[in-house]
Each structure stands twice: as structure tokens, then as C-alpha cells.
């Protein structure tokens, strides 16, 4: 089968190539799945550089999550051949075939295509764990979402609104923000710099939650427009600079800084992690969240997908279809 392999780490994707790989062998308790759509996530790009927390032994196959059709399954697994399923893999989804534990897979809601289903998992689970499980978001609270046009940021915009919050979205691109505002109900859109006073005016004091996958200067400015008792959710640092905060600022302003890693949350507490995933997929089945697929790419065109991710010209999710 064909798979996207990382053989060496580099900053220019020179160590990544589409190659022949052995077909995976299914063990008892696992599903053999033909991949129909796999979601490209920012950590995939970081892993090609060796700059992500997860550092697999070389060589490894990229791809953290996928949707596809079951080829083989145990009779008592709850799945059968031709079932449409979705699952997170951490590695291996950018391939024609993959094996996953049956306990980690779930059926794709009828209302979703393979591409839409692949766009739900990591992005919406990250948003849910950050906003709800850790951030304790309440109806009508003000939620400031940075990086709102990327996959995770847009999931946070969509989810926060679906659960009754008031959303302020920021991005470096006014053109992309305008598209988000047309497609998703947001209270306001703001640039990714100089938003402090506008947020304070809109919220009559400050944002209750800040969802920050950007870091750097965005994090710094967010500490100046967060409400008393607010929660600043650290989701990532796509800006490239890991921010820090003098401890007198949260002391005086009474806010909490909370790190949000959905995968680690589920690994530390599998019951809570499963509950969060169940909540996300229930919302998807009910049509209350709307994953946005920016573009799909054939596996042979993987480089174009990664270039788009690196340039951050997309709105929502990028999908690779083996």
C-alpha cells in the first residue's frame, strides 16, 4: 500500500515522501479500515520537523485521525465490513489502510461525509476539552477565540456558539474573518493585534474565556482584556513564540491560565476523555456543529496540503484522501 512516510526530520519536508509500505495486520480487538479521508493537523507538520511533543521513532507514517470503511472486524466488535467509521490514530492515517482498536472507533453519523467526519475529531475534541471540560464555559459567557480561521480555532467558534456562548473571533486575515462571519454566527471579528480595547468595550470589562492556539503577542495582549475570574486557555503556539506571564498579572486580575491538550486529557482520564468525545459526536449527529472542509487533496498531492497548512491560507480543515 501507499503511505506518507517521514524518514528524516527537516524544516522543508525533504524527509517526507509517499512510499510503499507493508499492509497492516489486524489483531484481535482491532479493525482493518480502508482510509477514505484523513485530517491534516498542525502537529503533523511539526512532527516532520521534530518540534512536536510526540517524537516517534523514524521512520513513521503521518496522520492523526481518519474516516473510512471497515474491511475486517471481530464478530463481537460492534462493527462489520463496509461500516463507515472514524477514529483517532496519533500516527498512520495518511495511508491507504490502517488498523485501529475497535474501542477507539465510532460509526460516522449519516449526515456527515467521510471528509466532514475526519474534520471533527481532533479539532472539536480540543475545543470541547478546553472550553467545556477545563474552561467550564457557561451560556452567554464571552469567549474570545484566536486563530479563528484555522481548524482548531474555527471548531472553537462553532462549538462555543452551539453551546450558547457569545463569540469574538480574531485572525491575522480580515478576508478570512469575513468568510467566517458569513458562515458562523459571531458577535464580532477583530484583528489579531490591537484587540484589547475593543474586547473590553464589547464585553463591558473583559472576556470570560480566551481560547488561544496562537501564543506569543496574542497571549500577551489577551492577559490585558480578560475578565475577573476568567480562564485563559493555552491550546498551542502557532505564532512560534511560547509566551510567559508575570505572576502578578493573574494575581491582580484574578484569572487562571489553563493548558489544554485533549489527547493527554483523555490518556490521563480515559472515562472523562470518552465522555468528551461522546458529547462532541452527539452534537455532530444532531447537526449542531458544522465542520468546515477547506479543501481535499489526493495522497499523491500531500505536499500541496502541507504547504497550505504552513502558509495558513486555509479556513477550517484540510483533508487528504488516499
Amino acid at each position: 500500500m501507499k503511505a506518507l512516510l517521514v524518514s528524516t526530520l527537516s524544516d522543508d519536508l525533504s524527509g517526507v515522501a509517499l512510499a510503499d509500505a507493508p499492509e497492516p495486520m489486524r489483531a484481535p480487538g482491532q479493525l482493518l479500515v480502508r482510509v477514505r479521508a484523513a485530517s491534516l493537523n498542525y502537529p503533523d507538520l511539526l512532527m516532520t520537523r521534530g518540534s512536536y511533543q510526540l517524537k516517534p521513532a523514524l521512520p513513521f507514517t503521518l496522520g492523526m485521525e481518519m474516516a473510512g470503511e471497515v474491511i475486517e472486524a471481530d464478530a463481537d466488535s460492534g462493527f462489520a465490513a463496509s461500516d463507515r467509521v472514524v477514529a483517532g490514530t496519533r500516527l498512520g492515517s495518511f495511508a491507504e489502510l490502517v488498523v485501529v482498536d475497535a474501542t477507539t472507533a465510532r460509526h460516522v453519523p449519516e449526515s456527515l461525509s467521510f471528509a466532514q467526519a475526519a474534520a471533527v475529531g481532533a479539532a472539536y475534541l480540543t475545543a470541547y476539552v478546553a472550553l467545556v471540560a477545563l474552561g467550564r464555559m457557561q451560556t452567554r459567557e464571552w469567549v474570545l477565540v484566536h486563530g479563528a480561521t484555522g481548524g482548531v480555532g474555527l471548531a472553537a467558534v462553532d462549538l462555543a456558539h452551539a453551546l450558547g456562548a457569545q463569540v469574538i473571533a480574531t485572525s491575522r486575515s480580515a478576508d478570512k474573518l469575513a468568510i467566517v462571519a458569513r458562515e458562523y454566527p459571531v458577535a464580532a471579528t477583530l484583528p489579531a493585534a490591537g484587540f484589547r480595547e475593543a474586547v473590553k468595550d464589547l464585553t463591558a470589562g473583559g472576556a470570560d474565556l480566551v481560547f488561544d492556539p496562537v501564543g506569543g503577542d496574542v497571549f500577551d495582549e489577551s492577559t490585558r482584556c480578560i475578565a475577573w475570574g476568567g480562564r485563559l486557555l493555552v491550546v498551542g503556539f502557532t505564532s512560534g513564540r511560547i509566551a510567559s506571564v508575570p505572576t502578578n498579572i493573574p494575581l491582580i486580575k484574578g484569572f487562571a491560565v489553563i493548558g489544554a491538550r485533549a489527547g493527554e486529557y483523555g490518556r490521563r482520564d480515559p472515562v472523562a476523555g470518552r465522555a468528551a468525545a461522546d458529547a462532541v459526536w452527539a452534537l455532530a449527529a444532531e447537526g449542531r456543529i458544522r465542520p468546515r472542509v477547506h479543501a481535499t487533496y489526493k495522497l499523491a498531492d500531500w505536499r500541496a496540503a502541507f504547504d497550505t497548512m504552513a502558509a495558513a491560507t486555509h479556513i477550517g480543515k484540510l483533508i487528504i484522501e488516499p
Side-chain angles (χ1 to χ4, degrees), residues 31-37 66-73 79-87 95-100 105-108 114 322:
L31 310 177
L32 177 63
V33 180
R34 185 175 305 282
V35 180
R36 295 301 188 190
M66 64 85 216
E69 295 169 325
V70 174
I71 299 173
E72 296 177 3
F79 298 94
S82 80
D83 280 357
R84 302 194 320 147
V85 296
V86 63
E96 294 174 326
L97 301 172
V98 68
V99 293
V100 299
R106 60 183 69 230
H107 291 93
V108 174
F114 283 123

Side-chain angles (χ1 to χ4, degrees), residues 7-89:
S7 56
T8 60
L9 303 176
S10 68
D11 291 333
D12 60 1
L13 299 173
S14 59
V16 184
L18 188 61
D20 291 317
E23 292 189 3
M25 300 297 292
R26 184 182 74 87
Q30 293 183 321
L31 310 177
L32 177 63
V33 180
R34 185 175 305 282
V35 180
R36 295 301 188 190
S39 175
L40 177 60
N41 292 285
Y42 193 66
D44 291 308
L45 180 62
L46 294 180
M47 278 192 280
T48 69
R49 304 168 179 170
S51 53
Y52 188 57
Q53 298 97 310
L54 176 62
K55 294 178 170 57
L58 296 167
F60 62 89
T61 301
L62 286 163
M64 301 176 68
E65 56 186 338
M66 64 85 216
E69 295 169 325
V70 174
I71 299 173
E72 296 177 3
D74 294 341
D76 61 352
S77 66
F79 298 94
S82 80
D83 280 357
R84 302 194 320 147
V85 296
V86 63
T89 60

Side-chain angles (χ1 to χ4, degrees), residues 292-318:
R292 188 183 197 276
V293 175
H294 178 83
T296 60
Y297 302 83
K298 297 301 181 185
L299 188 56
D301 298 326
W302 66 270
R303 181 64 187 251
F306 275 74
D307 287 345
T308 301
M309 174 65 74
T313 56
H314 57 296
I315 304 172
K317 297 293 290 185
L318 303 171

Side-chain angles (χ1 to χ4, degrees), residues 52-53 121-130 133-134 152 234-235 259-270 272-274 276-277 280:
Y52 188 57
Q53 298 97 310
Y124 280 85
L125 185 59
T126 296
Y128 188 93
V129 167
L134 300 176
V152 173
V234 178
V235 183
R261 291 178 59 199
E264 192 64 19
Y265 177 83
R267 284 185 286 276
R268 298 273 182 168
D269 189 340
R274 186 74 179 186
V280 166

